[in-house]
């Protein structure tokens, strides 16, 4: 009868999708609580790679219900593409996929606004995925948004028109010279909306409340990472939702005292896609090796990810903000072959040594202080038991557990479901 929570502790792309897929067998309901198609959750099994953007990562299992919560923003066009892809597999997703009426819709003009706003920022651009996330959340908090439940009302297209007209004026204001054909985009959008309307819309907070009363098990699935949180991330280089634990409460209507375990996912090193500070970023061969071996390219945009050593100052902050009870370490296999590894345990900040994340971590203020550790050379990808892990990796893990005061219960050694070691 528990609600457990799973979220990313770095700048996203930690491998949440894989772990949700692995854990789904233990749950009745998988519920995504924030973000939108800026996410790209990659799952691999039976030799096939699947990338999901909005649909929860439990969809490939027989029984679990997959719920898109009120905190998520949905682009019907991308959602339709995801479903078209699922249609190519023998998968009865209709009976297992539920959508909150309170989730907000990404309109075509939100996407254009995102692009126009980014273009206007010049060098200060965030590196947005340009999926319309920021403008949609702006309309949500500005109380102008269109929600999934509105699609059941007769006059929703009138509201759509008036909002789209307002957006067009805003796009003109940016004077970004972005060219677009709104008629074409709208045709695609309305067609996708009709498809969306064939799915099941629910009052998801009530559904989840009743599910808890019936003793069902729920896993809340986060997107992006804690350092991209709108409040606690490296603002303004963040996304527009609360990616941290509190986001599961507001994004699903789950009471905080109902949350039991908080699973925090992190990579054995650090990556970031898009702009913004990254103290342990590497510009040398080590960074290039991580990028190459780890296939560090964005699942949504295909952009190369920036790579660097593990930053325990940032990770400790994320563990604290989320109340993480169990850690899961991803991509340890990518570090095989490094003769020594560095872990950042403190920063020099304005001339002083600090171990907490300060207000700003721009390179001019922060220099990482590293602890060096011995690397391992063994190929981990075929290992299936904790007893097989090399001593140096065990030392790395023990060091992290001590620093983070939290156990590491899963070590992932490859993208496939089967490459998962329990400790
Ligand atoms: P937006 O959420 O698309 O506006 O992007 C804002 C920032 O968050 C950019 O730096 C993106 O690269 C980053 N971002 C958004 N979603 C993800 C994700 O799923 N993984 C990694 N970075 C992301």
């Amino acid at each position: 009868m528990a609600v457990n929570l799973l979220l990313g502790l770095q700048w996203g792309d930690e491998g949440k999708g894989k772990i949700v897929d692995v854990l789904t067998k233990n749950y009745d309901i998988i519920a995504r609580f924030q973000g939108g198609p800026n996410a790209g959750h990659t799952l691999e099994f039976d030799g096939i790679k699947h990338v999901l953007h909005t649909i929860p990562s439990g969809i490939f299992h027989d029984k679990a219900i997959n719920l898109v919560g009120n905190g998520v923003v949905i682009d019907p066009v991308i959602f339709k593409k995801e479903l078209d892809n699922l249609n190519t597999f023998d998968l009865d997703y209709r009976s297992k996929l539920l959508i909150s009426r309170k989730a907000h819709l990404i309109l075509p003009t939100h996407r254009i606004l995102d692009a126009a706003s980014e273009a206007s920022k010049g060098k200060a651009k965030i590196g947005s995925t340009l999926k319309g996330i920021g403008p949609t959340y702006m309309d949500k908090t500005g109380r102008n948004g269109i929600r999934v439940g509105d699609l059941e009302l007769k006059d929703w297209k009138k509201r759509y028109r008036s909002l789209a007209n307002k957006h067009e004026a805003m796009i003109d204001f940016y004077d970004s010279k972005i060219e677009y054909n709104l008629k074409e985009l709208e045709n695609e959008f309305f067609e996708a909306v009709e498809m969306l309307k064939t799915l099941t819309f629910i009052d998801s907070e009530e559904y989840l409340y009743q599910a808890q009363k019936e003793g069902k098990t729920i896993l809340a699935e986060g997107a992006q990472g804690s350092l991209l949180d709108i409040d606690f991330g490296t603002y303004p280089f963040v996304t527009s939702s609360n990616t941290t634990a509190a986001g599961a409460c507001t994004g699903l209507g789950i009471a905080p005292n109902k949350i039991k375990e908080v699973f925090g996912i992190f990579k054995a090193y650090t990556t970031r896609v898009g702009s913004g500070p990254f103290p342990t970023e590497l510009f040398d061969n080590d960074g290039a090796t991580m990028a190459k071996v780890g296939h560090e390219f964005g699942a949504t945009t295909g952009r190369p990810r920036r790579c660097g050593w593990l930053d325990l100052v940032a990770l400790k902050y994320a563990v604290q903000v989320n109340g993480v009870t169990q850690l899961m370490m991803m991509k340890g296999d990518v570090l095989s072959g490094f003769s020594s590894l560095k872990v950042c345990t403190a920063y020099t900040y304005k001339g002083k040594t600090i171990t907490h994340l300060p207000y700003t971590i721009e390179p001019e203020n922060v220099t990482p202080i590293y602890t060096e550790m011995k690397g391992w050379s063994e190929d981990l990808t075929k290992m299936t038991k904790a007893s097989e892990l090399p001593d140096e990796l065990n030392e790395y893990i023990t060091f992290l557990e001590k620093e983070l005061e939290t156990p590491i219960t899963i070590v992932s050694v490859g993208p496939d479901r089967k490459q998962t070691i329990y400790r």
Side-chain angles (χ1 to χ4, degrees), residues 225-247:
S226 301
L227 301 173
L228 289 171
D229 182 279
I230 183 72
D231 283 282
F232 297 107
T234 46
Y235 192 90
F237 301 100
V238 293
T239 190
S240 299
S241 60
N242 281 116
T243 58
T244 46

Side-chain angles (χ1 to χ4, degrees), residues 175-193:
D175 196 23
S176 60
K177 314 268 184 301
I178 285 176
E179 288 190 14
Y180 60 95
N181 182 335
L182 189 55
K183 255 284 83 29
E184 238 171 58
L185 294 172
E186 283 182 341
N187 288 343
E188 184 187 41
F189 174 74
F190 288 126
E191 189 193 321
V193 163

Side-chain angles (χ1 to χ4, degrees), residues 163-202:
L163 188 55
N165 288 346
K166 186 177 133 192
H167 288 162
E168 281 194 280
M170 289 163 73
I171 294 161
D172 286 347
F173 162 82
Y174 280 116
D175 196 23
S176 60
K177 314 268 184 301
I178 285 176
E179 288 190 14
Y180 60 95
N181 182 335
L182 189 55
K183 255 284 83 29
E184 238 171 58
L185 294 172
E186 283 182 341
N187 288 343
E188 184 187 41
F189 174 74
F190 288 126
E191 189 193 321
V193 163
E194 288 313 309
M195 184 282 316
L196 198 66
K197 282 164 75 175
T198 65
L199 300 174
T200 309
F201 300 163
I202 60 163

Side-chain angles (χ1 to χ4, degrees), residues 120 122 137 146 156 169 215 222 263 266 306:
S120 74
Y137 279 114
I146 295 180
W156 83 269
F263 305 131
F266 71 102
R306 302 152 64 192

Side-chain angles (χ1 to χ4, degrees), residues 11-13 38-40 126-130 133-134 224 228 238-239 273-275 303:
W11 279 291
D13 309 313
N38 47 351
I126 289 164
S128 164
T129 61
L130 304 180
I133 307 297
Q224 288 84 47
L228 289 171
V238 293
T239 190
V273 61
S275 338
R303 292 179 292 177

Side-chain angles (χ1 to χ4, degrees), residues 267-289:
K267 272 182 204 173
Y269 50 100
T270 310
T271 65
R272 174 164 207 172
V273 61
S275 338
F278 178 178
T280 60
E281 183 169 10
L282 290 167
F283 301 95
D284 58 9
N285 279 342
D286 286 341
T289 304

